[in-house]
Structure formats: C-alpha cells, structure tokens
Amino acid sequence: MAVAFWILAVVSVAAGIAVFVVDSMARATFALLASLLAVGLAFLLIDLEYLGVLIILMMVMEMLVMAVFMIMYMMNPAGLMPMKMVHNHRAAMIISAAVFVLLVAGIFLTSWPPRGGEPPADPTHQLGLAVMGPKMLVMMVIGVAILATMISTVVLATHRGRYARYGDDLERKRPLDPGEES
Amino acid sequence: MPELGLLALPLALVVLGLAAAGLDAVLSGGRASAPFGEIARLLVQQRRRTTRPDVLLLRVGVISLVAAPLLAAVVIPLGDAPVADLSAGIVWFNAMEVCVWGALWLTGWSVNSVFPLVGAYRFVAQGLAYELPHMFALITVALGAGSLRMSEAVQAQQGLWFVVWMPLAFLIYLVSALAMAFWGPMSQPVGSDLAGGVRAELAGPDRLLFQAGRYALLVVAAGAAVPLFLGGGAGPVLPGWLWALVKTVAVLALLVWVRHRVPAVRMDRFTQVSWLVLIPLALVQLLVVGIVVV
C-alpha cells in the first residue's frame, strides 16, 4: 500500500514535470494525463473507488478535448512542430519553483488536526447525498459555468454558425456542408 | 471462480474476435478462414516508416488500443461473477472504453501523416457525439439496478430483463457500441475515403495489434450488453456461462451484420442526431426508469 502510494506519487510528480520539459504539444498533453491517472489510481488506494475511476474517465476525456482545443485555438493546429511548453521561460521557472517550495513548506509546517470520525461504509452513497444535498448549489453553479464556457469557446472558434448552414432566414431544409456553395 | 475467469477471459476475447472477423469475411464474400491468412501476412510484413514519427506515442497508442478492451472486460461477468467485481464496475467499463479515444488519437497523430491525423480527429468528434447518450444509457442501467456493480445489475434482472423495460437505452447502447469500436456505419475514422484513416500508415505487427484491438473492442461492447441489458447468464437448462456466451455471440453477430447493411454515417451528421435526438431520448428513458424505481 505504502509502496504503491510512493510509486504513484513519484510518477505523478515526474509526469507533471515532464509536461513542461517536453517540446511537443501531444507529449505534454499525455504527460499531464499520465500524472492525473496516477492521482486517480491513488484514490483507489484509499478505497474511493467511484471517485478514482471517475477521475480516470474524466481526465482521459478532458485531455482529448484539449486535443480538440489544439485545432480550435493554436497557430500550429496539429501540434506537429516542436515548441516550448512555457511562456516567459525564466520567470515561469522562478515563480513555479517558489510556489512549489511554499506549498511543500506549508504541508510540513502546518500542525494538522487529529482525525475525527470514521470513513463511511459506502463512500459513493455518501458522495451522492452530499452532491444532491448540501453541495447542490455549488454543483449547479459549476455546471452552468462549465456549460457557458463550452458554448463560448465553440462560438469563438467556429466560423460556421447555423445561419451559414441553413441560410439567413434558416430556410434551407438540408444544411450546407463545409465548403459547399449555396 | 475469478482465477478460472482470468484464463477464460483472454481466450474468450481471442475466439470471439476471430469469429467476428470470420463472419465479417464471409459476409464480404470471402472465406471464414480469411482472418488467419491476414494474421500470418501481418506477422511477416515489414513495419512502414514515415518521416519523423513520434515512436513512443505511437507504441503507447497502439498498445493501449489492445489494453483498453482487455481492462474493460474484467468487469463483465462470464456467467455468475466477473474477474474483478468492482463496486463501480459500470463506471470502470466506461472509463476503459474512453481510453480508446486516447489510443486512436495518439495512433493517428504520432505517425506524422495527414490521413491518419484527420481520421484521429474524426474519431474524437465521433466520441464527443456518442459518449453522452452512451453514458446516459449506462446510468439508466445503474439506476434500474440501484448499483454501479455489474453483478448487481445482473441480479436486478432476475425477474425482467432491462432490455424489456428500457428498450431505448438498449438501442442507444447498440448505436454507441458501433461508434465506440468505429465499426460499420461509424467507421469513418478508418474510412476508405481517407485511404484507411487512422490505420493508413500502420503495417506489420502495428497493424495486427490495431486490428486485434478493434475486434476486441467490438467483442467487449457486445459482451457488456449481456449483463447490462440481457439478464447476464440467466436462461433455462444451459449453465450461466454458456447463456452469457450465446447472448454475446448473438449481439456480436448483429453488430457485424449491420456493417454490411447500413451505409457509413458522417460524424457531423451523427453529432446532430446524437445531440438532438439520442440525448433527449436517453433522458426520457432515464426519467421513465427513475419514476418506476422510485
């Protein structure tokens, strides 16, 4: 258990570092995925099976959505050319190192409170109750925020809306295909 | 019998995958032994080299296309109990099958060639289209069973199979199974208009693994329909594992047959149908099941 935890911890940190070391968009994306998968597997170690598997499921999909964002927003859409993964290289290094040191120092210097209570028999059930009960408002707000983000990113990236497909008065029965003239 | 299952599972995947490939060959007018010839040909074929491929990511992509269906299969009960009866088994199945997105995108991207890249993005688009209705279909089953555990989903169907009172979810599952394995009408990511799409530059052992992974996906997608909708191993006279096998073969044969009857669907059209028709249908089905359960 402890061994598995340390292996996953090292993999996740090492893959996280790799994100900024590699020179290809695809490698950075999948290094980040490897890091997050290690986090998901670490959740399985503490018997949070549903959350762990959900992290794996969501992170794979998110990284692939990132691949879609590559063609939506990048100057080098396929990500085929080598490129640096950090902007403002030196300052970025200093800032990220300082933040890392600060966080690690915080972990070791905080006097953590002793554990109170026991883990529930069925954490998945407990999670469902929390999401549907006291955390409902938070989840609703986040849900709407994510939906708004999705819609606005697509609207910004696409050059064909429904008027381009169905005509100015939406009169066409069959939408125009990309590149097809009316 | 988890130990027995550990041996039986890869065997079942290989045999069913070869059977699917054989049936596909027969329906295409060839001989049932055609897949064996293809395997022998690919085993001795040279790898094709492209200019500046990302070999590491290519290997990761091709191997995870085989690993994902294998890992997804461990929660499918062969009769009574699966190899690993995870408490979130249905979510695990979903997670592993989504890993195919990564596998296909990596394979298409890393060979550094245009057609595979276009094919890879076609699959991601198709994935974004089929995944939401697919998830709702799975959630409907979990809601009906009151559990995310595969074996409890089977238990819940002792009286009435889920296919009877959630037929829409079953149909949506079958459509998404085709899309998941980029098979038949959903095979645009490897379409002939792209000279083979994602697999255009794969040859030799790479192509063999790719094809094996694709058939394994098809088998796993068919196999999961059995515990999810068709009562698992339930049936008269025959033992449970045999019933599970018979039902899997029936679903698999249906999926293979569809390839020869339905034309290819463009993924932008499919996205429109999926989001405007399938998602509302899935939600209605979820509502009906929710009302019945409560």
Side-chain angles (χ1 to χ4, degrees):
Chain A
M1 194 80 163
V3 177
F5 170 76
W6 280 109
I7 292 173
L8 289 174
V10 169
V11 168
S12 115
V13 173
I17 293 172
V19 172
F20 299 98
V21 175
V22 294
D23 63 352
S24 111
M25 200 65 204
R27 286 198 173 194
T29 304
F30 282 82
L32 184 56
L33 178 59
S35 175
L36 295 165
L37 289 186
V39 174
L41 290 174
F43 271 67
L44 298 183
L45 291 180
I46 48 174
D47 288 334
L48 289 175
E49 211 172 85
Y50 174 75
L51 272 183
V53 176
L54 196 67
I55 289 175
I56 297 174
L57 169 66
M58 283 305 165
M59 290 310 152
V60 175
M61 287 177 72
E62 264 160 43
M63 289 310 129
L64 268 298
V65 169
M66 203 133 109
V68 174
F69 269 70
M70 266 159 63
I71 47 170
M72 277 161 75
Y73 284 110
M74 283 178 55
M75 285 182 284
N76 166 18
L80 288 169
M81 277 176 275
M83 59 189 289
K84 224 176 189 54
M85 286 300 129
V86 282
H87 303 287
N88 190 7
H89 190 203
R90 187 174 303 174
M93 281 299 171
I94 295 170
I95 294 169
S96 54
V99 171
F100 184 77
V101 169
L102 194 70
L103 290 175
V104 172
I107 291 173
F108 285 108
L109 294 181
T110 310
S111 59
W112 296 102
R115 177 175 198 162
E118 286 290 303
D122 186 355
T124 312
H125 184 74
Q126 206 66 26
L127 179 72
L129 289 182
V131 169
M132 285 299 168
K135 303 285 184 276
M136 186 77 145
L137 183 63
V138 181
M139 297 310 286
M140 298 290 279
V141 171
I142 292 175
V144 172
I146 292 175
L147 183 65
T149 314
M150 274 162 44
I151 293 174
S152 44
T153 49
V154 172
V155 167
L156 285 177
T158 187
H159 64 289
R160 293 173 79 235
R162 62 184 152 149
Y163 295 108
R165 296 168 67 224
Y166 288 100
D168 289 342
D169 298 316
L170 303 177
E171 72 277 352
R172 255 179 232 121
K173 280 209 167 128
R174 198 179 71 82
L176 280 186
D177 283 337
E180 197 179 351
E181 296 294 324
S182 53
Chain B
M1 300 175 290
E3 298 81 14
L4 195 65
L6 208 56
L7 286 175
L9 187 68
L11 190 70
L13 275 180
V14 170
V15 171
L16 287 172
L18 281 172
L23 177 63
D24 187 50
V26 170
L27 289 175
S28 319
R31 280 187 296 180
S33 60
F36 293 100
E38 177 74 359
I39 291 172
R41 189 180 72 84
L42 290 178
L43 276 176
V44 294
Q45 195 183 31
Q46 287 272 330
R47 274 211 172 95
R48 185 180 303 169
R49 295 206 177 277
T50 46
T51 317
R52 300 193 59 199
D54 192 328
V55 178
L56 173 70
L57 292 189
L58 177 61
R59 297 280 179 274
V60 172
V62 172
I63 289 172
S64 49
L65 186 59
V66 181
L70 260 178
L71 286 172
V74 297
V75 294
I76 299 176
L78 305 154
D80 347 308
V83 174
D85 200 11
L86 303 180
S87 71
I90 293 179
V91 188
W92 173 264
F93 171 75
N94 199 195
M96 290 308 114
E97 145 252 300
V98 164
C99 288
V100 173
W101 295 23
L104 239 63
W105 190 83
L106 281 177
T107 310
W109 182 85
S110 57
V111 288
N112 196 8
S113 168
V114 172
F115 287 149
L117 184 69
V118 175
Y121 272 112
R122 279 186 177 183
F123 187 72
V124 176
Q126 182 161 304
L128 291 173
Y130 88 79
E131 192 57 38
L132 279 174
H134 177 72
M135 276 178 169
F136 282 125
L138 293 181
I139 291 169
T140 311
V141 171
L143 183 64
S147 167
L148 290 168
R149 202 184 280 275
M150 280 279 190
S151 60
E152 281 173 25
V154 175
Q155 288 286 318
Q157 298 175 64
Q158 296 259 310
L160 190 62
W161 292 2
F162 281 168
V163 63
V164 180
W165 63 290
M166 30 183 108
L168 285 178
F170 181 60
L171 278 180
I172 290 169
Y173 178 83
L174 286 184
V175 172
S176 57
L178 290 171
M180 185 198 306
F182 44 105
W183 182 264
M186 311 292 181
S187 61
Q188 289 278 286
V190 290
S192 49
D193 58 331
L194 282 182
V198 175
R199 62 184 172 190
E201 300 286 357
L202 298 181
D206 292 333
R207 198 184 181 89
L208 181 62
L209 279 182
F210 186 92
Q211 296 290 75
R214 188 183 186 209
Y215 278 107
L217 258 178
L218 198 62
V219 171
V220 166
V226 176
L228 289 174
F229 293 101
L230 302 175
V237 189
L238 300 176
W241 63 269
L242 198 54
W243 268 116
L245 197 63
V246 168
K247 291 172 190 172
T248 305
V249 169
V251 178
L252 188 58
L254 176 71
L255 294 181
V256 173
W257 177 78
V258 163
R259 186 171 105 89
H260 298 270
R261 283 292 171 276
V262 182
V265 182
R266 239 171 53 192
M267 65 288 310
D268 56 333
R269 297 270 172 80
F270 175 55
T271 306
Q272 198 162 2
V273 173
S274 181
W275 283 59
L276 297 180
V277 180
L278 293 187
I279 291 180
L281 282 182
L283 287 174
V284 168
Q285 177 76 88
L286 193 61
L287 180 68
V288 170
V289 173
I291 291 171
V292 171
V293 169
V294 172

